[in-house]
Amino acid sequence: MTDATPRPLWIGTYPRPGTAPGSGEGVHRVDVDPADGTVRAERLVAAVPSPAFLALHPSGRTLYAVSETPAGTLSAFRLDGPEGDAAPVVSGAVASGGDDPCHVLALPDAVWVANYGDGVAATLPADPGSGDLGAEAVTTFPGAGSGPVAARQGGPHAHFVAAAGDDVVVSDLGADVLRRYPASPAADGATDEAADGGADEAGGEVVATLPPGTGPRHLVTLPDGSLVVVGELDARVHVLTPDGDGWVPSSAAPVSAGAAAGTDFASHVTLSADGTRLHVGVRGSDVLAVHRVRYPAGSSGAPTTEHLADVPLGEGAWPRHHAVVSTPAGTGGAAGATPATELVVVALQGTSELATVRVDTTTGRGEVVSRYGLPTPPACVLEA
């Protein structure tokens, strides 16, 4: 039986095409009906320039937004003010440490930012109880390196930060590598791992090297510790398996049916709650691709992925980000039974819409069951 409780979401948005940051975009709040996927009660709750990515502090008391602008900004909003999350209150705003920040990760005692423009990864302490930003200066880790795709890999481009135990892993789209840093460098008293002998010129330890031209964008961690990394530039899904203190590429497959480098660009990837399905947004062909994750029967061997289906999102949709907001309990595979499905809300940057997709968890096939137009293009979907 499906829980009928509306799912509240935060939505980060871009300016309208052709307009400057600060021209009406901001952070929106919406509710999604898990029964039919309908989006309701949309309202702009915080006017902030180009909030391309959002993150919620583990305490639930602070929402973070990065403004994807030159000389980017990290803003913090308290959600426990007089009007609660209906009216977030700005509690701090600091420089992101680089240009065009595109991702933010919230940990209990630190906030991390990936600055795409100049490849800088940056971090700032946070109060574990409230999420308030610390008064200390931002700690920055300049990027380094390049790749063979001249138009996109002329230099480093930090794109995503993932938690990894006591560390974080940063994907560098420009250099085709993943780098590791201490999750709380100030607390560890170390902001440069050169002494460890595994650092590159960016100051981080390279823990995985992808094939040249991959353009690693976003990633998820599988239950066995392997990583799945989507390549924005090569349109492939890469499985990386643990190897010593890092990971090595194990297998790769096209991100969607007929996907081709240069025309299809993977955006975001999510892993189902049971660890058996991947959902990948693909711009160009404008689909939500669904893959099965298969694990080896024994203790040895590497996980593999199997492409199941592509859900069309509409011409020009340009799916930038998504979130799985509901996985209803199904009735199994009995004859005549209703198949188990999950609900995915996709930010369609190209058409300024939120699309709600219902996906069959067995076959991967699905359909758009609801669309909701926003005044400015959506960039990020975050469960409240």
Side-chain angles (χ1 to χ4, degrees), residues 9-12 27-29 45 54 63 79 85 88 380-382 384:
L9 303 175
W10 302 105
I11 308 296
V27 179
H28 294 248
R29 179 71 178 263
V45 295
L54 310 173
L63 178 72
L79 305 177
D85 55 18
C380 176
V381 181
L382 175 67

Side-chain angles (χ1 to χ4, degrees), residues 99-346:
D99 296 336
D100 298 306
C102 61
H103 187 254
V104 55
L105 171 71
L107 301 174
D109 60 354
V111 181
W112 278 82
V113 176
N115 292 283
Y116 177 83
D118 52 10
V120 172
T123 184
L124 189 72
D127 182 271
S130 67
D132 288 343
L133 296 175
E136 297 88 340
V138 174
T139 301
T140 59
F141 300 90
S146 60
V149 183
R152 296 292 306 279
Q153 294 186 309
H157 293 298
H159 214 306
F160 189 81
V161 188
D166 293 332
D167 301 310
V168 297
V169 172
V170 177
S171 63
D172 188 331
L173 181 146
D176 290 322
V177 299
L178 306 181
R179 294 190 183 92
R180 178 164 54 206
Y181 304 93
S184 303
D188 293 344
T191 58
D192 187 344
E193 296 190 5
D196 293 340
D200 70 352
E201 58 185 303
E205 181 186 5
V206 173
V207 290
T209 301
L210 281 299
T214 294
R217 184 177 169 100
H218 290 194
L219 64 89
V220 294
T221 303
L222 300 181
D224 72 341
S226 298
L227 303 179
V228 174
V229 181
V230 292
E232 177 173 348
L233 304 183
D234 70 352
R236 297 178 74 79
V237 174
H238 298 261
V239 177
L240 282 64
T241 52
D243 180 60
D245 290 335
W247 294 266
V248 293
S250 172
S251 63
V255 69
S256 59
T263 58
D264 294 288
F265 307 92
S267 57
H268 186 52
V269 57
T270 50
L271 180 67
S272 62
D274 63 2
T276 65
R277 292 177 307 284
L278 301 167
H279 323 86
V280 186
V282 186
R283 297 162 296 173
S285 56
D286 294 327
V287 300
L288 182 70
V290 182
H291 295 248
R292 175 78 63 200
V293 181
R294 298 195 178 279
Y295 298 92
S299 58
S300 62
T304 57
T305 62
E306 174 194 1
H307 176 256
L308 294 179
D310 295 327
V311 183
L313 300 172
E315 185 177 355
W318 208 251
R320 182 172 184 85
H321 192 252
H322 62 267
V324 181
V325 300
S326 176
T327 305
T331 53
T338 301
T341 61
E342 54 196 350
L343 212 59
V344 184
V345 176
V346 188

